[in-house]
Amino acid sequence: TDEIMHQDISPLYAADIQDQLKKQFAYLSGGRGGDGCPVITFPDYPAFSEIPEKEFQNVLTYLTSIP
């Protein structure tokens, strides 16, 4: 099973992860895919491999929870 998808995730708020969001290694571009789902953009980020897994999970969890 996929551990990330099966974790009990509490809601995240932008204020809780503002330092992680400021890094802008991922963001919502405002576009939508063919199925209507939001598009998450991963721009060129030189230190991408140095982002701790927890920070990556926090940002993706937050971005995917925005209606």
Side-chain angles (χ1 to χ4, degrees):
T1 50
D2 185 0
E3 292 178 24
I4 294 172
M5 298 305 293
H6 295 285
Q7 292 178 0
D8 290 329
I9 300 172
S10 58
L12 286 173
Y13 302 99
D16 297 335
I17 60 167
Q18 64 183 336
D19 291 336
Q20 297 166 23
L21 291 171
K22 285 180 184 177
K23 292 180 181 180
Q24 294 186 333
F25 60 83
Y27 62 88
L28 291 175
S29 62
R32 295 211 174 255
D35 59 358
C37 293
V39 173
I40 296 176
T41 302
F42 294 91
D44 186 27
Y45 188 80
F48 191 82
S49 63
E50 297 172 14
I51 298 168
E53 184 175 340
K54 185 64 177 169
E55 283 188 23
F56 185 78
Q57 287 179 2
N58 285 345
V59 170
L60 288 188
T61 298
Y62 173 74
L63 293 177
T64 57
S65 70
I66 299 172

